[in-house]
């Protein structure tokens, strides 16, 4: 459930890709601390409505859903405009939507490259581009981009993902410098391996690419990189997020909190 508590009452948070995995957990964590939530992401309409209604009722906040596709710049701008129109403000933007594809460079499908760069990197640009004027007008903003340990380190067979995540970190630093005097901060959270649907799907693909068993992927590839030998939990990421969005986090800017069990210490 997470031990860190911050009073976010009355604030509005938009979390992209929050119908699953890390995004859903972070959205619920922000709601638990009082923020009104705008969910976004793909998935079954009935399941998304159940998630939306449950977050609203369990945490007594406004929880809305906007279906914008992170490959479409106009729809991303609509997501930000929707949050402002429906709740009157925008305080927190968590750019979390992401996809993965694992293949050697010479077999990497070009359409997968385009999709990963579009969803994992360009959508972060489009969302920040739309959100910064709203945050500036409100005199307050916290942008938190969910990058990855792969924003700092490479692994084979993930060329598009590594390029996108390194790009997100650089983009975050540039925007942080631009907004520093406007009451806004922009930072990354860099998770190591978290056992979400995205990672579950990678296990089989990585096993195929490397010609090893799925058990070997988990123990010898994924958690081999993570010195604690433990998957990162949703609550450990939520703790980092709550610090960044709190008043105490106001001077952390253009940086990253890396929650990777020591992976990038190597
Ligand atoms: P996930 O697959 O569980 O969730 C991804 C979310 O993005 C879903 O809500 C999905 O609907 C949404 N999404 C995908 N394509 C979209 C599109 N075109 N438009 C709108 N939404 C779209 O994945 P996750 O593991 O929770 O990953 C979330 C983020 O965390 C990603 O950016 C990922 O790169 C990053 N990350 C994950 C791990 C990990 O180990 N799971 C590690 C480091 C970083």
């Amino acid at each position: 459930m997470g031990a860190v508590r911050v009073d976010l009452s009355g604030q509005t948070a938009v979390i992209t890709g929050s119908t699953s995995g890390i995004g859903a957990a972070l959205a619920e964590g922000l709601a638990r601390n009082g923020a009104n939530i705008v969910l976004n992401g793909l998935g079954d309409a009935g399941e998304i409505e159940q998630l939306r209604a449950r977050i609203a009722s369990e945490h007594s906040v406004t929880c809305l859903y906007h279906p914008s596709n992170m490959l479409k710049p106009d729809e991303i701008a609509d997501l930000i405009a929707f949050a402002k129109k429906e709740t009157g403000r925008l305080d927190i933007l968590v750019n979390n939507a992401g996809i993965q594809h694992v293949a050697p460079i010479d077999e990497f499908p070009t359409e997968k490259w385009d999709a990963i760069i579009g969803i994992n990197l360009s959508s972060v640009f489009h969302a920040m581009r739309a959100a910064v004027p709203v945050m500036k007008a409100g005199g307050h903003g916290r942008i938190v981009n969910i990058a990855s340990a792969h924003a700092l380190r490479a692994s084979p067979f993930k060329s598009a993902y590594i390029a996108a995540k390194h790009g997100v970190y650089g983009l975050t630093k540039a925007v942080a410098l631009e907004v520093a005097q406007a009451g806004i901060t922009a930072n990354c959270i860099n998770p190591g391996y978290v056992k979400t649907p995205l990672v579950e799907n990678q296990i089989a693909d990585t096993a195929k690419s490397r010609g090893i068993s799925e058990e070997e992927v988990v123990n010898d590839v994924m958690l081999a990189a993570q010195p604690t030998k433990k998957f990162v939990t949703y609550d450990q990421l939520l703790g980092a997020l709550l610090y960044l969005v709190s008043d105490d986090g106001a001077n952390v800017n253009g940086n990253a909190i890396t929650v990777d069990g020591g992976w990038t210490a190597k």
Side-chain angles (χ1 to χ4, degrees), residues 6-8 11-16 30 35-36 80 89-96 124 127-128 131-146 172 175-176 179-189 240-255 257:
V6 176
D7 184 6
L8 301 174
Q11 295 196 23
T12 297
V14 171
I15 306 96
T16 71
L30 291 171
N36 296 319
I80 301 299
R89 55 194 290 170
L90 175 62
D91 301 278
I92 299 166
L93 169 64
V94 182
N95 284 302
N96 167 80
V124 181
M128 291 197 291
V132 161
V134 183
M135 290 177 169
K136 275 187 177 164
H140 175 254
R142 294 283 189 273
I143 298 168
V144 181
N145 297 327
I146 308 302
T172 305
V175 173
V179 298
Q181 291 181 36
I184 305 170
T185 64
N187 291 287
C188 289
I189 293 175
L241 175 63
L242 290 173
Y243 172 58
L244 289 174
V245 303
S246 74
D247 290 343
D248 291 342
N251 239 335
V252 181
N253 193 29
N255 226 304
I257 298 184

Short mmCIF file of all heavy atoms in Angstrom, two decimals, residues 6-8 11-16 30 35-36 80 89-96 124 127-128 131-146 172 175-176 179-189 240-255 257:
data_model
loop_
_atom_site.label_atom_id
_atom_site.label_comp_id
_atom_site.label_asym_id
_atom_site.label_seq_id
_atom_site.Cartn_x
_atom_site.Cartn_y
_atom_site.Cartn_z
N VAL A 6 1.44 12.16 1.23
CA VAL A 6 1.56 13.57 0.85
C VAL A 6 0.13 14.07 0.65
O VAL A 6 -0.70 13.33 0.12
CB VAL A 6 2.35 13.71 -0.47
CG1 VAL A 6 2.40 15.15 -0.93
CG2 VAL A 6 3.76 13.17 -0.33
N ASP A 7 -0.14 15.30 1.06
CA ASP A 7 -1.50 15.82 0.87
C ASP A 7 -1.63 16.45 -0.52
O ASP A 7 -1.10 17.53 -0.77
CB ASP A 7 -1.84 16.85 1.95
CG ASP A 7 -3.29 17.33 1.81
OD1 ASP A 7 -4.03 16.77 0.97
OD2 ASP A 7 -3.66 18.27 2.53
N LEU A 8 -2.32 15.75 -1.41
CA LEU A 8 -2.51 16.25 -2.79
C LEU A 8 -3.96 16.67 -3.01
O LEU A 8 -4.40 16.80 -4.16
CB LEU A 8 -2.12 15.16 -3.79
CG LEU A 8 -0.68 14.65 -3.70
CD1 LEU A 8 -0.47 13.47 -4.65
CD2 LEU A 8 0.32 15.78 -4.02
N GLN A 11 -5.60 18.68 -6.08
CA GLN A 11 -4.72 18.72 -7.25
C GLN A 11 -5.23 17.75 -8.31
O GLN A 11 -5.89 16.76 -8.01
CB GLN A 11 -3.29 18.35 -6.86
CG GLN A 11 -2.65 19.36 -5.91
CD GLN A 11 -1.14 19.21 -5.82
OE1 GLN A 11 -0.49 18.68 -6.72
NE2 GLN A 11 -0.57 19.69 -4.73
N THR A 12 -4.88 18.06 -9.57
CA THR A 12 -5.25 17.17 -10.68
C THR A 12 -4.01 16.50 -11.25
O THR A 12 -3.02 17.18 -11.53
CB THR A 12 -5.95 17.96 -11.80
OG1 THR A 12 -7.16 18.50 -11.28
CG2 THR A 12 -6.27 17.06 -12.99
N ALA A 13 -4.10 15.20 -11.42
CA ALA A 13 -2.99 14.43 -12.01
C ALA A 13 -3.46 13.69 -13.26
O ALA A 13 -4.49 13.02 -13.24
CB ALA A 13 -2.45 13.42 -10.99
N VAL A 14 -2.69 13.84 -14.34
CA VAL A 14 -2.90 13.06 -15.56
C VAL A 14 -1.80 12.01 -15.61
O VAL A 14 -0.62 12.34 -15.48
CB VAL A 14 -2.81 13.96 -16.81
CG1 VAL A 14 -2.79 13.11 -18.09
CG2 VAL A 14 -3.94 14.96 -16.85
N ILE A 15 -2.20 10.75 -15.80
CA ILE A 15 -1.23 9.66 -15.89
C ILE A 15 -1.47 8.94 -17.21
O ILE A 15 -2.51 8.29 -17.39
CB ILE A 15 -1.37 8.66 -14.71
CG1 ILE A 15 -1.31 9.39 -13.37
CG2 ILE A 15 -0.28 7.59 -14.77
CD1 ILE A 15 -2.64 9.74 -12.79
N THR A 16 -0.52 9.04 -18.13
CA THR A 16 -0.71 8.34 -19.40
C THR A 16 -0.43 6.85 -19.20
O THR A 16 0.35 6.46 -18.33
CB THR A 16 0.22 8.89 -20.51
OG1 THR A 16 1.56 8.53 -20.23
CG2 THR A 16 0.09 10.41 -20.64
N LEU A 30 -1.72 8.07 -6.24
CA LEU A 30 -1.96 9.52 -6.18
C LEU A 30 -3.36 9.80 -5.66
O LEU A 30 -3.57 10.72 -4.85
CB LEU A 30 -1.77 10.16 -7.57
CG LEU A 30 -0.32 10.18 -8.10
CD1 LEU A 30 -0.28 10.63 -9.56
CD2 LEU A 30 0.57 11.08 -7.25
N ALA A 35 -5.35 13.23 -4.76
CA ALA A 35 -5.39 13.89 -6.08
C ALA A 35 -6.59 13.42 -6.90
O ALA A 35 -6.98 12.25 -6.83
CB ALA A 35 -4.10 13.58 -6.85
N ASN A 36 -7.16 14.34 -7.66
CA ASN A 36 -8.13 13.96 -8.69
C ASN A 36 -7.34 13.42 -9.89
O ASN A 36 -6.26 13.92 -10.20
CB ASN A 36 -8.97 15.17 -9.09
CG ASN A 36 -9.82 15.64 -7.93
OD1 ASN A 36 -10.39 14.84 -7.20
ND2 ASN A 36 -9.90 16.96 -7.75
N ILE A 80 -4.79 16.70 -22.30
CA ILE A 80 -4.41 17.78 -21.37
C ILE A 80 -5.54 18.81 -21.27
O ILE A 80 -5.91 19.25 -20.17
CB ILE A 80 -3.09 18.44 -21.83
CG1 ILE A 80 -1.96 17.39 -21.90
CG2 ILE A 80 -2.73 19.62 -20.93
CD1 ILE A 80 -1.62 16.70 -20.60
N ARG A 89 -7.82 22.52 -13.50
CA ARG A 89 -6.38 22.70 -13.27
C ARG A 89 -5.58 21.48 -13.72
O ARG A 89 -6.16 20.44 -14.04
CB ARG A 89 -6.11 22.98 -11.79
CG ARG A 89 -6.70 21.92 -10.87
CD ARG A 89 -6.72 22.40 -9.44
NE ARG A 89 -5.37 22.49 -8.89
CZ ARG A 89 -5.07 23.07 -7.73
NH1 ARG A 89 -6.01 23.61 -7.00
NH2 ARG A 89 -3.82 23.08 -7.30
N LEU A 90 -4.28 21.63 -13.73
CA LEU A 90 -3.39 20.48 -13.97
C LEU A 90 -2.13 20.70 -13.16
O LEU A 90 -1.39 21.66 -13.37
CB LEU A 90 -3.03 20.36 -15.46
CG LEU A 90 -2.01 19.26 -15.77
CD1 LEU A 90 -2.53 17.88 -15.40
CD2 LEU A 90 -1.60 19.28 -17.24
N ASP A 91 -1.91 19.82 -12.19
CA ASP A 91 -0.75 19.94 -11.30
C ASP A 91 0.33 18.92 -11.58
O ASP A 91 1.52 19.19 -11.43
CB ASP A 91 -1.22 19.77 -9.84
CG ASP A 91 -2.25 20.81 -9.46
OD1 ASP A 91 -1.88 21.94 -9.12
OD2 ASP A 91 -3.46 20.49 -9.56
N ILE A 92 -0.09 17.72 -11.92
CA ILE A 92 0.85 16.59 -12.03
C ILE A 92 0.63 15.90 -13.37
O ILE A 92 -0.51 15.57 -13.73
CB ILE A 92 0.61 15.57 -10.88
CG1 ILE A 92 0.84 16.23 -9.52
CG2 ILE A 92 1.49 14.34 -11.06
CD1 ILE A 92 0.32 15.41 -8.34
N LEU A 93 1.71 15.72 -14.11
CA LEU A 93 1.65 14.94 -15.35
C LEU A 93 2.65 13.80 -15.22
O LEU A 93 3.86 14.05 -15.06
CB LEU A 93 2.02 15.82 -16.55
CG LEU A 93 2.26 15.08 -17.87
CD1 LEU A 93 1.00 14.38 -18.36
CD2 LEU A 93 2.79 16.04 -18.95
N VAL A 94 2.16 12.58 -15.27
CA VAL A 94 3.04 11.41 -15.25
C VAL A 94 2.99 10.79 -16.64
O VAL A 94 1.95 10.24 -17.06
CB VAL A 94 2.60 10.38 -14.18
CG1 VAL A 94 3.57 9.20 -14.17
CG2 VAL A 94 2.53 11.03 -12.80
N ASN A 95 4.09 10.90 -17.36
CA ASN A 95 4.18 10.28 -18.69
C ASN A 95 4.69 8.87 -18.52
O ASN A 95 5.89 8.65 -18.28
CB ASN A 95 5.11 11.10 -19.58
CG ASN A 95 4.46 12.36 -20.07
OD1 ASN A 95 3.41 12.32 -20.71
ND2 ASN A 95 5.05 13.51 -19.75
N ASN A 96 3.77 7.93 -18.61
CA ASN A 96 4.09 6.54 -18.28
C ASN A 96 3.84 5.56 -19.42
O ASN A 96 4.43 4.48 -19.45
CB ASN A 96 3.24 6.13 -17.05
CG ASN A 96 3.26 4.65 -16.81
OD1 ASN A 96 4.21 4.11 -16.25
ND2 ASN A 96 2.21 3.95 -17.26
N VAL A 124 5.79 11.91 -24.91
CA VAL A 124 6.25 12.66 -23.74
C VAL A 124 6.45 14.13 -24.14
O VAL A 124 6.08 15.06 -23.40
CB VAL A 124 7.55 12.05 -23.17
CG1 VAL A 124 8.01 12.82 -21.94
CG2 VAL A 124 7.33 10.57 -22.84
N ALA A 127 2.86 15.66 -24.72
CA ALA A 127 2.12 15.90 -23.47
C ALA A 127 2.74 17.08 -22.70
O ALA A 127 2.01 17.93 -22.18
CB ALA A 127 2.13 14.64 -22.62
N MET A 128 4.06 17.13 -22.64
CA MET A 128 4.69 18.26 -21.92
C MET A 128 4.42 19.56 -22.66
O MET A 128 4.18 20.60 -22.02
CB MET A 128 6.19 18.02 -21.77
CG MET A 128 6.53 16.89 -20.81
SD MET A 128 8.26 16.93 -20.24
CE MET A 128 9.12 16.52 -21.73
N ALA A 131 1.04 20.55 -21.66
CA ALA A 131 0.81 20.75 -20.21
C ALA A 131 1.52 21.97 -19.66
O ALA A 131 1.00 22.63 -18.74
CB ALA A 131 1.29 19.50 -19.45
N VAL A 132 2.70 22.29 -20.18
CA VAL A 132 3.49 23.38 -19.58
C VAL A 132 2.73 24.71 -19.54
O VAL A 132 2.72 25.38 -18.49
CB VAL A 132 4.88 23.50 -20.27
CG1 VAL A 132 5.53 24.85 -20.03
CG2 VAL A 132 5.78 22.36 -19.78
N PRO A 133 2.03 25.12 -20.61
CA PRO A 133 1.30 26.40 -20.51
C PRO A 133 0.21 26.37 -19.42
O PRO A 133 0.01 27.38 -18.74
CB PRO A 133 0.65 26.56 -21.89
CG PRO A 133 1.43 25.68 -22.79
CD PRO A 133 1.95 24.55 -21.96
N VAL A 134 -0.46 25.23 -19.25
CA VAL A 134 -1.50 25.12 -18.21
C VAL A 134 -0.85 25.21 -16.83
O VAL A 134 -1.34 25.89 -15.92
CB VAL A 134 -2.28 23.79 -18.36
CG1 VAL A 134 -3.40 23.72 -17.33
CG2 VAL A 134 -2.83 23.62 -19.77
N MET A 135 0.26 24.53 -16.66
CA MET A 135 0.96 24.56 -15.36
C MET A 135 1.51 25.95 -15.09
O MET A 135 1.44 26.45 -13.95
CB MET A 135 2.09 23.52 -15.36
CG MET A 135 1.58 22.09 -15.32
SD MET A 135 2.94 20.91 -15.40
CE MET A 135 2.09 19.38 -15.00
N LYS A 136 2.05 26.58 -16.11
CA LYS A 136 2.58 27.95 -15.93
C LYS A 136 1.47 28.88 -15.47
O LYS A 136 1.65 29.69 -14.56
CB LYS A 136 3.18 28.48 -17.24
CG LYS A 136 4.61 28.07 -17.46
CD LYS A 136 5.18 28.77 -18.69
CE LYS A 136 6.65 28.41 -18.88
NZ LYS A 136 7.15 28.73 -20.21
N ALA A 137 0.30 28.76 -16.09
CA ALA A 137 -0.83 29.64 -15.74
C ALA A 137 -1.26 29.39 -14.29
O ALA A 137 -1.67 30.31 -13.58
CB ALA A 137 -2.00 29.38 -16.68
N GLY A 138 -1.14 28.14 -13.82
CA GLY A 138 -1.50 27.80 -12.44
C GLY A 138 -0.38 28.08 -11.45
O GLY A 138 -0.58 27.97 -10.24
N GLY A 139 0.82 28.36 -11.95
CA GLY A 139 1.97 28.66 -11.08
C GLY A 139 2.53 27.44 -10.37
O GLY A 139 3.34 27.56 -9.45
N HIS A 140 2.14 26.26 -10.80
CA HIS A 140 2.59 25.04 -10.11
C HIS A 140 2.52 23.86 -11.06
O HIS A 140 1.53 23.71 -11.78
CB HIS A 140 1.68 24.76 -8.90
CG HIS A 140 2.00 23.47 -8.20
ND1 HIS A 140 1.21 22.34 -8.31
CD2 HIS A 140 3.03 23.13 -7.40
CE1 HIS A 140 1.75 21.37 -7.59
NE2 HIS A 140 2.84 21.82 -7.03
N GLY A 141 3.54 23.04 -11.05
CA GLY A 141 3.47 21.82 -11.86
C GLY A 141 4.56 20.84 -11.51
O GLY A 141 5.67 21.22 -11.11
N ARG A 142 4.21 19.58 -11.65
CA ARG A 142 5.19 18.50 -11.44
C ARG A 142 5.05 17.54 -12.62
O ARG A 142 4.01 16.91 -12.80
CB ARG A 142 4.88 17.73 -10.15
CG ARG A 142 5.06 18.54 -8.89
CD ARG A 142 6.55 18.66 -8.57
NE ARG A 142 6.76 19.26 -7.27
CZ ARG A 142 6.83 20.57 -7.05
NH1 ARG A 142 6.72 21.42 -8.05
NH2 ARG A 142 7.03 21.02 -5.83
N ILE A 143 6.13 17.45 -13.39
CA ILE A 143 6.15 16.50 -14.52
C ILE A 143 7.08 15.35 -14.12
O ILE A 143 8.23 15.59 -13.74
CB ILE A 143 6.66 17.18 -15.80
CG1 ILE A 143 5.72 18.33 -16.20
CG2 ILE A 143 6.80 16.16 -16.92
CD1 ILE A 143 6.29 19.24 -17.28
N VAL A 144 6.56 14.15 -14.19
CA VAL A 144 7.37 12.98 -13.84
C VAL A 144 7.27 11.98 -14.99
O VAL A 144 6.18 11.47 -15.30
CB VAL A 144 6.91 12.33 -12.52
CG1 VAL A 144 7.80 11.13 -12.19
CG2 VAL A 144 6.95 13.35 -11.38
N ASN A 145 8.39 11.75 -15.63
CA ASN A 145 8.43 10.86 -16.79
C ASN A 145 8.99 9.51 -16.37
O ASN A 145 10.09 9.43 -15.79
CB ASN A 145 9.28 11.49 -17.89
CG ASN A 145 8.66 12.79 -18.37
OD1 ASN A 145 7.43 12.93 -18.39
ND2 ASN A 145 9.49 13.76 -18.74
N ILE A 146 8.21 8.47 -16.63
CA ILE A 146 8.66 7.13 -16.25
C ILE A 146 9.59 6.65 -17.37
O ILE A 146 9.14 6.20 -18.43
CB ILE A 146 7.48 6.16 -16.05
CG1 ILE A 146 6.45 6.75 -15.06
CG2 ILE A 146 8.00 4.81 -15.56
CD1 ILE A 146 6.96 7.11 -13.68
N THR A 172 13.66 15.43 -20.72
CA THR A 172 13.24 15.87 -19.39
C THR A 172 14.19 16.95 -18.86
O THR A 172 13.76 17.97 -18.29
CB THR A 172 13.23 14.67 -18.41
OG1 THR A 172 12.41 13.65 -18.97
CG2 THR A 172 12.71 15.07 -17.04
N VAL A 175 13.60 20.32 -20.70
CA VAL A 175 12.36 21.00 -20.27
C VAL A 175 12.52 21.53 -18.84
O VAL A 175 12.06 22.63 -18.51
CB VAL A 175 11.15 20.06 -20.41
CG1 VAL A 175 9.90 20.67 -19.81
CG2 VAL A 175 10.93 19.74 -21.89
N ALA A 176 13.19 20.76 -17.99
CA ALA A 176 13.41 21.20 -16.60
C ALA A 176 14.08 22.56 -16.56
O ALA A 176 13.72 23.42 -15.73
CB ALA A 176 14.25 20.17 -15.86
N VAL A 179 11.52 25.39 -17.46
CA VAL A 179 10.39 25.68 -16.56
C VAL A 179 10.83 25.99 -15.14
O VAL A 179 9.99 26.24 -14.27
CB VAL A 179 9.38 24.52 -16.54
CG1 VAL A 179 8.78 24.29 -17.92
CG2 VAL A 179 10.00 23.23 -16.00
N ALA A 180 12.14 26.01 -14.91
CA ALA A 180 12.66 26.04 -13.53
C ALA A 180 12.15 27.23 -12.72
O ALA A 180 12.03 27.13 -11.50
CB ALA A 180 14.18 26.03 -13.56
N GLN A 181 11.88 28.35 -13.36
CA GLN A 181 11.46 29.54 -12.60
C GLN A 181 9.95 29.73 -12.61
O GLN A 181 9.45 30.78 -12.20
CB GLN A 181 12.18 30.77 -13.15
CG GLN A 181 13.66 30.73 -12.85
CD GLN A 181 14.40 31.93 -13.37
OE1 GLN A 181 13.90 33.05 -13.36
NE2 GLN A 181 15.62 31.72 -13.82
N ALA A 182 9.23 28.73 -13.08
CA ALA A 182 7.77 28.87 -13.20
C ALA A 182 7.02 28.00 -12.18
O ALA A 182 5.82 27.77 -12.33
CB ALA A 182 7.35 28.49 -14.62
N GLY A 183 7.74 27.52 -11.16
CA GLY A 183 7.07 26.67 -10.16
C GLY A 183 6.84 25.26 -10.64
O GLY A 183 6.04 24.51 -10.07
N ILE A 184 7.54 24.90 -11.69
CA ILE A 184 7.35 23.56 -12.30
C ILE A 184 8.67 22.80 -12.22
O ILE A 184 9.75 23.40 -12.40
CB ILE A 184 6.94 23.70 -13.79
CG1 ILE A 184 5.70 24.59 -13.93
CG2 ILE A 184 6.69 22.34 -14.42
CD1 ILE A 184 5.38 24.99 -15.37
N THR A 185 8.59 21.52 -11.96
CA THR A 185 9.78 20.67 -12.08
C THR A 185 9.50 19.55 -13.08
O THR A 185 8.34 19.17 -13.29
CB THR A 185 10.18 20.02 -10.74
OG1 THR A 185 9.15 19.13 -10.31
CG2 THR A 185 10.45 21.07 -9.66
N ALA A 186 10.56 19.05 -13.69
CA ALA A 186 10.45 17.90 -14.60
C ALA A 186 11.56 16.92 -14.25
O ALA A 186 12.74 17.29 -14.22
CB ALA A 186 10.57 18.35 -16.05
N ASN A 187 11.16 15.71 -13.93
CA ASN A 187 12.12 14.67 -13.53
C ASN A 187 11.71 13.33 -14.12
O ASN A 187 10.59 13.16 -14.58
CB ASN A 187 12.15 14.55 -12.00
CG ASN A 187 12.76 15.76 -11.34
OD1 ASN A 187 13.97 15.97 -11.39
ND2 ASN A 187 11.92 16.59 -10.73
N CYS A 188 12.63 12.39 -14.02
CA CYS A 188 12.32 11.00 -14.41
C CYS A 188 12.31 10.11 -13.17
O CYS A 188 12.99 10.39 -12.18
CB CYS A 188 13.39 10.45 -15.34
SG CYS A 188 13.39 11.16 -16.98
N ILE A 189 11.55 9.04 -13.25
CA ILE A 189 11.77 7.89 -12.38
C ILE A 189 12.27 6.78 -13.30
O ILE A 189 11.68 6.52 -14.36
CB ILE A 189 10.48 7.47 -11.65
CG1 ILE A 189 10.07 8.57 -10.65
CG2 ILE A 189 10.69 6.13 -10.93
CD1 ILE A 189 8.75 8.30 -9.96
N ALA A 240 8.78 7.18 -4.66
CA ALA A 240 9.61 8.14 -5.40
C ALA A 240 8.73 9.22 -6.03
O ALA A 240 9.05 10.41 -5.99
CB ALA A 240 10.41 7.41 -6.48
N LEU A 241 7.60 8.81 -6.59
CA LEU A 241 6.69 9.77 -7.23
C LEU A 241 6.16 10.77 -6.20
O LEU A 241 6.13 11.98 -6.45
CB LEU A 241 5.53 9.02 -7.91
CG LEU A 241 4.43 9.90 -8.50
CD1 LEU A 241 4.97 10.79 -9.63
CD2 LEU A 241 3.27 9.03 -9.03
N LEU A 242 5.74 10.26 -5.05
CA LEU A 242 5.16 11.15 -4.04
C LEU A 242 6.20 12.16 -3.56
O LEU A 242 5.88 13.33 -3.32
CB LEU A 242 4.58 10.34 -2.89
CG LEU A 242 3.31 9.55 -3.25
CD1 LEU A 242 2.90 8.63 -2.10
CD2 LEU A 242 2.15 10.48 -3.62
N TYR A 243 7.44 11.74 -3.43
CA TYR A 243 8.49 12.71 -3.05
C TYR A 243 8.63 13.78 -4.13
O TYR A 243 8.64 14.98 -3.82
CB TYR A 243 9.82 11.98 -2.84
CG TYR A 243 10.97 12.94 -2.66
CD1 TYR A 243 10.96 13.88 -1.63
CD2 TYR A 243 12.04 12.96 -3.54
CE1 TYR A 243 11.99 14.80 -1.48
CE2 TYR A 243 13.08 13.86 -3.40
CZ TYR A 243 13.05 14.78 -2.37
OH TYR A 243 14.06 15.69 -2.23
N LEU A 244 8.68 13.37 -5.38
CA LEU A 244 8.88 14.35 -6.46
C LEU A 244 7.72 15.35 -6.56
O LEU A 244 7.93 16.51 -6.92
CB LEU A 244 9.07 13.64 -7.80
CG LEU A 244 10.41 12.90 -7.97
CD1 LEU A 244 10.42 12.11 -9.27
CD2 LEU A 244 11.59 13.88 -7.93
N VAL A 245 6.50 14.90 -6.29
CA VAL A 245 5.35 15.81 -6.43
C VAL A 245 5.10 16.61 -5.15
O VAL A 245 4.29 17.54 -5.16
CB VAL A 245 4.04 15.08 -6.85
CG1 VAL A 245 4.25 14.34 -8.16
CG2 VAL A 245 3.52 14.16 -5.77
N SER A 246 5.79 16.27 -4.06
CA SER A 246 5.57 16.97 -2.79
C SER A 246 6.26 18.33 -2.80
O SER A 246 7.13 18.61 -3.64
CB SER A 246 6.13 16.13 -1.63
OG SER A 246 7.56 16.19 -1.65
N ASP A 247 5.93 19.17 -1.82
CA ASP A 247 6.62 20.46 -1.67
C ASP A 247 8.11 20.24 -1.40
O ASP A 247 8.95 21.02 -1.85
CB ASP A 247 6.00 21.28 -0.53
CG ASP A 247 4.60 21.76 -0.90
OD1 ASP A 247 4.27 21.75 -2.11
OD2 ASP A 247 3.85 22.13 0.01
N ASP A 248 8.43 19.17 -0.67
CA ASP A 248 9.84 18.89 -0.36
C ASP A 248 10.64 18.58 -1.63
O ASP A 248 11.87 18.69 -1.63
CB ASP A 248 9.95 17.70 0.61
CG ASP A 248 9.43 18.04 1.99
OD1 ASP A 248 9.31 19.24 2.30
OD2 ASP A 248 9.14 17.10 2.75
N GLY A 249 9.96 18.18 -2.69
CA GLY A 249 10.66 17.84 -3.94
C GLY A 249 10.86 19.03 -4.86
O GLY A 249 11.38 18.86 -5.98
N ALA A 250 10.52 20.24 -4.38
CA ALA A 250 10.48 21.40 -5.29
C ALA A 250 11.83 21.76 -5.91
O ALA A 250 11.87 22.41 -6.95
CB ALA A 250 9.91 22.61 -4.55
N ASN A 251 12.92 21.36 -5.27
CA ASN A 251 14.23 21.71 -5.83
C ASN A 251 14.93 20.52 -6.49
O ASN A 251 16.11 20.60 -6.83
CB ASN A 251 15.13 22.32 -4.75
CG ASN A 251 15.57 23.73 -5.14
OD1 ASN A 251 15.60 24.07 -6.34
ND2 ASN A 251 15.89 24.54 -4.16
N VAL A 252 14.20 19.45 -6.67
CA VAL A 252 14.72 18.33 -7.46
C VAL A 252 14.21 18.56 -8.87
O VAL A 252 13.00 18.50 -9.12
CB VAL A 252 14.22 16.97 -6.93
CG1 VAL A 252 14.81 15.84 -7.76
CG2 VAL A 252 14.59 16.81 -5.46
N ASN A 253 15.09 18.86 -9.79
CA ASN A 253 14.66 19.27 -11.12
C ASN A 253 15.65 18.81 -12.18
O ASN A 253 16.86 18.94 -12.00
CB ASN A 253 14.54 20.81 -11.16
CG ASN A 253 13.81 21.31 -12.39
OD1 ASN A 253 12.95 20.60 -12.92
ND2 ASN A 253 14.13 22.50 -12.84
N GLY A 254 15.13 18.26 -13.27
CA GLY A 254 15.99 17.82 -14.37
C GLY A 254 16.82 16.61 -13.98
O GLY A 254 17.92 16.41 -14.48
N ASN A 255 16.27 15.80 -13.09
CA ASN A 255 17.04 14.69 -12.57
C ASN A 255 16.24 13.40 -12.64
O ASN A 255 15.16 13.37 -13.20
CB ASN A 255 17.47 15.00 -11.14
CG ASN A 255 18.94 14.67 -10.95
OD1 ASN A 255 19.35 13.53 -11.19
ND2 ASN A 255 19.73 15.65 -10.55
N ILE A 257 15.16 9.80 -10.25
CA ILE A 257 15.27 8.87 -9.12
C ILE A 257 15.28 7.48 -9.74
O ILE A 257 14.32 7.08 -10.41
CB ILE A 257 14.11 9.03 -8.12
CG1 ILE A 257 14.12 10.44 -7.52
CG2 ILE A 257 14.23 7.97 -7.02
CD1 ILE A 257 13.07 10.68 -6.45
#
